[in-house]
């Protein structure tokens, strides 16, 4: 038995060892093929040592210089995030072992470069992925259920959860990205279609291998495809072992030829042609006599055959197709039992075949590689400069210039969750969009920012939360105000308000400020991940923030101060004490802003003083910078509240990274790295000692008066100006003047296409937006809220302000136009 090496080269035979790695989630259709490849195809997953392969490739490379150039290997961070974190340590539940992760990534990058002559390039998923929404929603819902299992387990047993329940700690992807910057590893961030762009990178820039864990890459016949889940670095850094997948061997066992693979992938079920559209076809392949035929219908639910059964049956069907070029004939045969949406299914089948066919082939030379990727892979500059000055500009288009031949799904029939429309977004200048795309491609910017600017949408990851805990709000709700202010900064809302106010005063006419609504997609309690929250942008009350172009590109000395103030204001931390370096060291400013924000939650209860001290004590602890001591540190009992606090805190750090990039990065990336101020296991040990008296703080600070003094100074800065005795905020409007209608039950038919959305949240957000700073007043004749043209709420007004003249009733419409 021979085996393939770099770029598909055949290497001497070795003893094959079957893969024993167990995937945590085995999806249906295409996503189940990876598991089938490992467990059901002997010889299709073989052990390899990447460092040995790299050294072999280096010796075979004829180069005129004294040293051959390193071979490039591409890592897909999206499917390999768990291994990049460092593996299966049980302490991830405490909030993140960031220094341990840093040590692992340092050893990995050094071993690749110095032991194997390999240059790593890590590609992160920066796409919105609307075409894969249902798949993402199912995964998010599963992660949310896992989070509840974790909370219940820790609460009852006070021990780490099983390995199979691994849930990426909040902010993990950004932490890995920052670590790659530190070790000078090249970073790329995809924009429109993650899988297609990864494959384009691999083929266009001569990479020797792809490390990932995704069935789509396996089905696209990547010549040197390696498992990220099986990646293991030896303790001495001389061996980097994993499994190489041989699709040719798997195809042989399935009786398939290479040219048949796109049809095979299309008919398994995927993001273009989903499983439910192929259920009847899959059952028809099994026949009525199959032992599983009785499971076809169970309790009026759609039941799909087991994945391995579907793979075998579909491969036999595809291998029997005589004319692969006649897609219409194949589609008619596949959907001959379909009773609805026949044309739509046929069109989706053709698109799926075209998608996987284009992914399996090198891109045409006439297209040329993306200029952004070219610049990045040939230039190590990482400064936040105007791309025009580096020759990496563009035409400001919103699309991905590197994939013009990739089939578009926008012309297809969309599902109901895609039909929720919002008011049009403010126009963004082409210059700002060029800068945004430039920074996004190079991984220099929080990935959601570009999609907020161009589409008005963002996705939020699942973190460890207890749905039964009424004391702690979900992270998406807790940090929503910070995101709302950042939306206001992105769309230069303050400047727009100021302009419209002046115009209204000069014309003595009504003040009409069009709402800026951002769709936030997340999985929440009693809420589908396919139902977005419609969140309005806000602007600051205390000062007028400069426009986005000035924040990002301004080079005057006062521009840095404006960027810093915008960052602080978004996090409700615009107070002089936090900028006093004698109280708050600069590398701890981001942490202190997040903690101050958490302390200001209305009604309190999120963070008590001794818990605040525990956060601060671990941030100044000498153990934080001693990886060996942290590794030996043992947590006797894992505190459930501490787990949730750490998760909320890291979600706040994630939000702070978004705010920092929105405001033009006033904090350098070195001061945004969590390993400089947080370790989950260390926080647990400090929290175990914490109480409300002075002696406990002395104990938490390891008996060092200097550390106690530093904690007290930071605590004083964090609490400066916060009034804890104030009563909870009153409702925005008396109930008598705001008749809120109850939400329409999901089971009720929706009149006139009104979408099923969180109605109470929508009303609250719209009303908060209506009295946000910059509007200054509510129209005297009141206002009303329209959804899809229907009036669903109204409110009374105030007396007109002097000199403003009479103002007409304000109408806020959601879902009535194109967004």
């Amino acid at each position: 038995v021979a085996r393939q090496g770099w770029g598909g080269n055949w290497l001497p035979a070795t003893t094959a060892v079957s893969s024993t790695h167990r995937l945590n989630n085995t999806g249906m259709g295409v996503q189940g093929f990876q598991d089938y490849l490992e467990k059901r195809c002997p010889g299709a997953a073989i052990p390899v040592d990447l460092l040995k392969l790299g050294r072999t490739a280096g010796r075979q490379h004829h180069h005129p210089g004294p040293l051959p150039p390193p071979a490039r290997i591409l890592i897909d961070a999206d499917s390999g995030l768990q291994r990049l974190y460092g593996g299966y340590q049980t302490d991830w539940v405490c909030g993140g072992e960031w220094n341990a992760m840093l040590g692992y990534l340092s050893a990995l990058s050094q071993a690749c470069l110095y032991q194997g002559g390999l240059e790593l390039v890590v590609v992160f998923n920066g796409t919105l992925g609307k075409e894969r929404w249902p798949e993402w929603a199912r995964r998010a819902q599963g992660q949310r259920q896992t989070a509840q299992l974790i909370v219940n387990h820790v609460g009852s047993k006070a021990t780490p959860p099983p390995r199979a329940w691994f849930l990426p700690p909040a902010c993990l992807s950004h932490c890995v990205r920052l670590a790659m910057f530190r070790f000078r590893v090249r970073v790329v961030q995809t924009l429109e279609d993650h899988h297609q762009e990864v494959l384009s990178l691999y083929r266009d820039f001569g990479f020797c291998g792809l490390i990932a864990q995704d069935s789509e890459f396996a089905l696209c016949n990547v010549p040197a495809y390696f498992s990220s889940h099986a990646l293991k670095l030896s303790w001495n850094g001389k061996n980097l072992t994993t499994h190489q997948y041989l699709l040719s061997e798997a195809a042989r066992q399935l009786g398939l030829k290479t040219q048949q693979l796109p049809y095979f992938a299309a008919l398994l079920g995927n993001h273009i042609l989903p499983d439910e559209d192929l259920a009847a076809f899959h059952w028809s392949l099994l026949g009525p006599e199959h032992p599983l035929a009785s499971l076809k219908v169970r309790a009026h639910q759609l039941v799909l055959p087991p994945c391995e059964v579907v793979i075998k049956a579909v491969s036999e069907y595809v291998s029997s197709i005589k004319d692969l070029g006649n897609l219409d004939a194949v589609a008619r045969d596949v959907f001959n039992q379909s009773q609805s949406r026949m044309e739509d299914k046929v069109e989706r089948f053709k698109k799926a075949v075209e998608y996987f066919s284009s992914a399996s082939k090198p891109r045409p030379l006439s297209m040329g590689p993306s200029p952004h990727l070219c610049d990045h892979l040939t230039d190590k500059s990482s400064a936040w400069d105007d791309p025009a000055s580096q020759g990496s500009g563009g035409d400001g288009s919103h699309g991905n210039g590197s994939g013009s031949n990739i089939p578009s799904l926008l012309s297809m029939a969309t599902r109901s969750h895609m039909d929720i429309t919002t008011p049009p977004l403010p126009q963004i200048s082409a210059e700002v969009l060029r800068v945004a795309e430039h920074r996004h491609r190079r991984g220099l910017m929080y990935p959601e920012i570009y999609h907020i600017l161009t589409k008005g949408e963002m996705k939020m990851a699942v973190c460890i939360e207890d749905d039964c805990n009424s004391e702690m709000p979900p992270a998406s709700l807790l940090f929503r105000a910070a995101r709302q202010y950042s939306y206001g900064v992105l769309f230069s809302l303050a400047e727009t308000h100021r302009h419209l106010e002046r115009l209204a005063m000069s014309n003595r006419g009504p003040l009409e400020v069009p709402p800026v609504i951002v769709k936030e997609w997340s999985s929440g309690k009693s809420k589908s991940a396919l139902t977005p929250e419609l969140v309005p942008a806000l602007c600051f009350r205390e000062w007028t923030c400069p426009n986005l172009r000035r924040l990002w590109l301004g080079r005057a000395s006062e521009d840095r101060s404006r960027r810093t103030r915008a960052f602080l204001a978004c996090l409700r931390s615009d107070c002089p004490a936090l900028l006093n370096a004698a109280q708050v060291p600069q590398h701890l400013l981001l942490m202190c802003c997040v903690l101050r924000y958490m302390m200001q939650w209305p009604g309190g209860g999120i963070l008590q003083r001794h818990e605040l001290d525990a956060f601060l004590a671990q941030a100044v602890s000498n153990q934080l910078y001693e990886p060996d001591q942290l590794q030996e540190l043992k947590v006797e009992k894992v505190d459930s509240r501490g787990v949730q606090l750490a998760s909320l805190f890291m979600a706040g750090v994630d939000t702070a990274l978004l705010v920092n990039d929105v405001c033009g990065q006033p904090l350098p990336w070195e001061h945004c790295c969590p390993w400089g101020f947080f370790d989950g296991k260390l926080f647990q040990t400090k929290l175990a000692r914490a109480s409300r008296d002075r002696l406990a703080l002395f104990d938490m600070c390891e008996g060092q008066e200097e550390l106690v003094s530093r904690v007290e100074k930071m605590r004083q800065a964090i609490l400066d100006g916060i009034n804890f005795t104030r009563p909870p905020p009153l409702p925005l409007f008396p109930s008598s003047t705001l008749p809120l209608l109850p939400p329409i039950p999901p089971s009720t038919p929706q009149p006139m296409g009104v979408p099923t959305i969180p109605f109470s949240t929508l009303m609250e957000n719209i009303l908060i937006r209506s009295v946000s700073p910059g509007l200054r007043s509510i129209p005297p004749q009141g206002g009303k809220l329209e959804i899809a043209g229907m009036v669903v709420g109204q409110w009374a007004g105030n007396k007109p302000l002097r000199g403003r003249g009479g103002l007409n009733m304000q109408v806020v419409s959601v879902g009535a136009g194109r967004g």
Side-chain angles (χ1 to χ4, degrees):
V1 179
R3 60 189 178 94
Q4 279 185 296
W6 297 116
N9 296 324
W10 291 95
L11 301 176
T14 58
T15 303
V17 180
S18 61
S19 170
T20 58
H21 181 75
R22 185 179 67 255
L23 294 178
N24 292 336
N25 292 309
T26 302
M28 293 301 296
V30 162
Q31 291 307 318
F33 181 72
Q34 181 85 48
D35 194 44
Y36 184 89
L37 184 66
E38 295 183 349
K39 296 181 178 179
R40 304 293 179 180
C41 295
I46 60 174
V48 294
D49 187 334
L50 295 179
L51 300 185
K52 289 183 179 179
L53 292 180
R55 289 192 291 267
T56 302
R59 287 193 296 267
Q60 293 176 352
H61 191 284
H62 299 286
H63 191 266
L67 293 175
R72 284 179 174 176
I73 189 165
L74 191 63
I75 300 180
D76 173 39
D78 191 46
S79 60
L81 205 56
Q82 183 172 344
R83 289 306 306 166
L84 293 176
Y85 176 66
Y88 299 96
Q89 303 98 328
T90 58
D91 299 317
W92 57 266
V93 73
C94 298
E97 294 297 292
W98 304 120
N99 275 287
M101 179 201 76
L102 195 68
Y104 171 77
L105 292 179
S106 173
L108 176 66
S109 59
Q110 292 185 35
C112 288
L113 185 59
Y114 298 115
Q115 297 291 336
L118 301 176
E119 180 186 2
L120 297 180
V121 177
V122 183
V123 55
F124 289 83
N125 190 343
T127 67
L128 190 61
K130 290 292 287 286
E131 70 279 0
R132 298 173 187 266
W133 232 233
E135 177 185 332
W136 169 80
R138 286 192 296 268
R139 186 168 60 250
Q141 191 62 31
Q143 289 177 336
R144 190 161 189 84
Q145 294 172 359
T146 301
Q148 191 63 51
L149 290 175
I150 292 171
V151 171
N152 295 342
H153 175 92
V154 174
S156 62
K157 298 186 177 180
T159 60
R163 291 181 175 182
W165 293 358
F166 177 84
L167 192 65
C171 201
L172 173 58
S173 178
H174 305 298
C175 293
V176 173
R177 181 167 55 95
L178 292 171
M180 295 304 171
F181 289 153
R182 171 165 179 163
F183 300 125
R184 299 183 179 275
V185 175
R186 297 178 190 264
V187 170
V188 178
Q189 200 160 245
T190 55
L191 186 65
E192 295 295 342
D193 188 307
H194 179 71
H195 293 82
Q196 292 277 5
E197 291 177 44
V198 169
L199 291 171
S200 294
L201 270 174
Y202 176 81
R203 292 191 168 100
D204 294 344
F205 294 95
F207 282 94
C208 295
L210 171 63
I211 301 176
Q213 198 80 20
D214 193 298
S215 295
E216 286 194 29
F217 295 137
L219 285 168
C220 290
N221 200 20
V222 176
Y225 173 46
F226 304 98
S227 169
S228 59
H229 285 190
L231 195 66
K232 293 182 180 179
L233 179 66
S234 63
W235 65 270
N236 58 7
K238 293 185 178 180
N239 301 97
L240 182 62
T241 59
T242 186
H243 296 123
Q244 181 176 357
Y245 298 117
L246 306 179
L247 183 60
S248 58
E249 175 61 23
R252 185 191 66 78
Q253 295 183 27
L254 289 171
L256 295 173
K257 299 178 181 178
T258 303
Q259 61 269 28
Q260 295 172 326
L261 290 176
Y263 296 81
F264 176 65
L267 291 177
L268 282 181
N270 47 77
H271 65 284
I272 303 175
L273 186 62
D275 296 336
E276 53 266 28
D277 288 346
L278 290 164
F281 169 66
H282 290 163
W283 282 113
S284 70
L285 293 179
L286 302 186
E289 303 301 325
H290 195 279
L292 297 174
S294 60
L295 302 177
K296 183 176 181 181
V297 178
R298 177 186 295 174
H300 305 290
Q301 293 181 346
L302 179 65
V303 179
L304 301 173
C307 189
E308 60 185 59
V309 176
V310 171
I311 289 175
K312 191 66 177 175
V314 171
S315 64
E316 293 175 357
Y317 176 83
V318 172
S319 62
S320 67
I321 298 176
K322 294 182 172 55
D323 185 5
L324 292 177
N326 194 344
L327 286 177
D328 289 307
V330 176
R332 284 194 301 269
D333 185 56
V334 168
F335 300 112
N336 63 351
Q337 298 182 1
S338 179
Q339 300 177 357
S340 63
R341 299 175 40 247
M342 179 69 172
E343 294 183 0
D344 175 54
K345 294 177 182 177
V346 170
E347 182 67 17
R348 287 180 179 271
F349 168 68
K350 293 180 180 179
K351 291 289 185 181
V353 172
E354 185 180 358
Y355 181 91
F356 288 104
S357 296
S358 63
S360 302
K361 301 174 183 176
R363 296 188 310 123
L365 295 177
S366 59
M367 291 177 55
S370 166
H372 298 276
L373 299 179
C374 276
D375 291 339
H376 179 56
L377 292 176
T378 57
D379 176 22
K380 287 204 173 186
S381 171
S382 61
W384 273 48
D385 297 326
D386 183 351
S389 64
Q390 297 186 8
S392 59
D395 58 0
S397 62
H398 298 182
N400 175 17
S402 66
S404 59
N405 72 328
I406 297 175
S408 173
L409 302 179
L410 299 181
S411 59
M412 297 184 182
T414 57
R415 301 188 180 187
S416 58
H417 64 271
M418 303 288 188
D419 296 333
I420 300 176
T421 59
T422 53
L425 297 173
Q427 187 172 3
I428 307 297
S429 70
E431 181 182 18
V432 168
L433 286 178
R434 281 197 300 270
V435 174
E437 184 175 355
H438 168 80
R439 295 176 179 176
H440 180 102
R441 291 272 189 196
R442 293 189 170 212
L444 298 172
M445 187 173 73
Y446 195 95
E448 307 295 338
I449 293 177
Y450 182 83
H451 301 298
I452 296 170
L453 282 172
T454 57
K455 303 177 183 71
E457 301 183 61
M458 76 169 294
K459 283 191 309 188
M460 287 180 288
V462 174
C463 57
I464 300 177
E465 297 172 340
D466 185 3
D467 288 338
C468 303
N469 187 348
S470 58
E471 295 181 357
M472 293 187 188
S476 60
L477 178 60
L478 173 60
F479 297 103
R480 176 176 295 165
R483 296 193 303 274
Q484 288 179 276
Y485 285 121
S486 67
Y487 302 155
V489 173
L490 279 177
F491 292 108
S492 306
L493 204 60
E495 187 177 77
T496 301
H497 283 193
R498 184 172 54 181
H499 172 72
L500 293 177
E501 285 176 354
R502 291 173 179 173
L503 191 62
M505 291 181 65
S506 62
N507 296 337
R508 299 184 63 83
L511 175 61
E512 298 179 355
V513 181
V516 178
I517 305 294
V518 175
K519 296 178 186 177
E520 292 185 347
W521 301 86
S522 64
S523 177
K525 180 181 180 181
S526 304
K527 170 189 170 298
S528 168
L530 295 179
T531 304
E533 301 278 1
L534 305 183
V535 179
L538 299 177
C539 56
F540 308 125
R541 178 181 292 111
E542 295 81 7
W543 66 297
T544 301
C545 181
N547 62 42
L548 188 62
R549 185 185 183 280
R550 184 70 179 267
L551 280 178
W552 282 12
L553 303 177
R555 299 182 181 276
S557 57
E558 63 270 17
D559 289 326
R560 176 176 174 81
S561 299
R562 294 190 180 108
R563 286 191 280 267
T564 302
R565 186 173 185 187
F567 170 80
L568 296 175
C570 285
L571 295 173
R572 295 174 176 172
S573 300
D574 191 6
C575 63
L578 287 175
L579 294 179
N580 184 354
Q583 288 185 272
V584 179
Q586 191 173 5
H587 74 283
L588 299 180
L589 176 59
L590 186 144
M591 177 197 72
C592 290
C593 289
V594 173
L595 293 173
R596 178 180 171 89
Y597 184 99
M598 295 173 65
M599 294 295 295
Q600 296 178 80
W601 177 253
I606 294 183
L607 202 58
Q608 301 177 23
R609 174 167 168 169
H610 69 284
E611 295 167 338
L612 173 63
D613 286 348
F615 274 109
L616 299 177
Q618 61 87 35
V620 300
S621 172
N622 296 324
Q623 290 179 290
L624 187 64
Y625 303 101
E626 297 294 339
D628 294 337
Q629 294 185 21
L630 289 176
Q631 185 174 0
E632 296 175 0
L633 194 64
K634 302 298 181 183
V635 179
E636 296 181 0
K637 291 185 178 181
V638 181
D639 182 70
S640 178
R641 178 173 170 83
V643 167
Q644 296 174 65
L645 283 176
S647 181
L648 270 183
F649 171 75
M650 286 308 304
V653 172
D654 187 285
T655 302
L657 295 180
L658 163 69
V659 172
N660 188 53
D661 289 350
V662 163
C663 297
Q665 206 180 27
L667 274 61
W669 70 266
E670 296 92 339
H671 294 161
C672 298
C673 302
W675 53 81
F677 53 76
F678 184 74
D679 180 272
K681 191 162 59 172
L682 186 58
F683 171 68
Q684 280 278 334
T685 61
K686 301 296 183 184
L687 191 62
R689 303 178 184 178
S691 65
R692 292 176 176 79
D693 56 28
R694 174 69 165 72
L695 185 60
L697 178 59
F698 186 78
D699 188 28
M700 279 192 289
C701 293
E702 303 152 20
Q704 299 185 35
E705 287 286 351
E706 178 188 358
L707 298 183
V708 172
S709 175
R710 292 173 61 185
V711 168
E712 290 180 333
K713 288 179 180 179
M714 283 194 291
R715 184 211 300 145
Q716 181 182 2
I718 289 171
L719 302 180
D720 183 41
I722 300 179
N723 182 11
F724 292 101
T725 60
R726 64 171 184 250
L730 296 174
L732 291 172
F733 302 95
S735 58
S736 59
T737 62
L738 180 58
L740 290 178
L741 301 179
I744 303 174
S747 59
T748 304
Q750 303 297 304
M752 296 179 62
V754 177
T756 302
I757 59 178
F759 188 90
S760 57
T761 303
L762 169 63
M763 289 292 294
E764 176 187 359
N765 288 339
I766 295 295
L767 294 175
I768 291 174
R769 169 65 177 79
S770 300
V771 295
S772 64
L775 290 182
R776 308 292 175 89
S777 66
I778 303 171
Q781 298 183 15
K784 60 183 180 180
L785 172 66
E786 294 181 359
I787 298 183
M790 297 180 61
V791 179
V792 296
Q794 59 185 8
W795 58 89
N798 293 336
K799 295 180 180 180
L801 296 178
R802 183 176 302 173
R804 292 287 179 96
L807 300 180
N808 299 328
M809 174 177 285
Q810 184 183 28
V811 179
V812 179
S813 298
V814 179
R818 295 175 62 87

